Amino acid sequence: QVPLVESGGGLVQAGGSLRLSCAASGRVFSVNDMGWYRQAPGNQRELVAVINSAGTTNYADSVKGRFTISRDNAKNTVYLQMNSLKPEDTAVYYCNVRGRSRSYGYPGFDVWGQGTQVTVSA
């Protein structure tokens, strides 16, 4: 089992900033892709940003230039720095981590965080 713990959501005014974090714990052998997704009411879950083990990043067009994804490999933690927030960024944000477990045979895992609410007021 590889539980994820998210933190950092909240309520902020438009133009403000928030920083989300997501830590993977348990029997982690290696971590590959780490990403952030979001889901607003009535919408499908969508990719916000992803970072691979080499540090290569990919962003949704709607957040480019405003959000920055980063990771701390020693802590198996991924961050999302969100600046210049807009009301349309309001959603539940989920982290996703893929890697291999220390269990016998080093099976792969693909796990999701519990979600953290981000609300941006106009």
Side-chain angles (χ1 to χ4, degrees):
Q1 295 294 334
V2 181
L4 302 182
V5 178
E6 296 184 27
S7 62
L11 173 64
V12 65
Q13 289 187 333
S17 298
L18 285 174
R19 189 191 194 208
L20 307 182
S21 65
C22 172
S25 61
R27 300 179 61 80
V28 177
F29 174 72
S30 63
V31 176
N32 299 326
D33 292 348
M34 308 181 85
W36 289 96
Y37 295 73
R38 67 187 181 187
Q39 187 168 17
N43 291 353
Q44 291 186 338
R45 190 173 298 188
E46 63 178 3
L47 172 71
V48 176
V50 63
I51 183 169
N52 66 15
S53 57
T56 302
T57 59
N58 188 36
Y59 295 91
D61 288 342
S62 59
V63 307
K64 284 181 180 178
R66 300 188 297 122
F67 291 9
T68 302
I69 189 170
S70 61
R71 61 191 284 171
D72 183 333
N73 291 328
K75 297 180 180 180
N76 291 328
T77 298
V78 61
Y79 305 96
L80 185 68
Q81 178 66 43
M82 304 184 292
N83 299 328
S84 302
L85 282 160
K86 303 176 181 180
E88 51 263 44
D89 294 318
T90 295
V92 178
Y93 284 69
Y94 299 89
C95 67
N96 172 251
V97 177
R98 303 175 185 179
R100 292 201 172 274
S101 166
R102 290 188 180 276
S103 299
Y104 180 78
Y106 300 98
F109 64 82
D110 183 345
V111 293
W112 291 86
Q114 78 277 13
T116 185
Q117 177 70 45
V118 171
T119 303
V120 184
S121 62

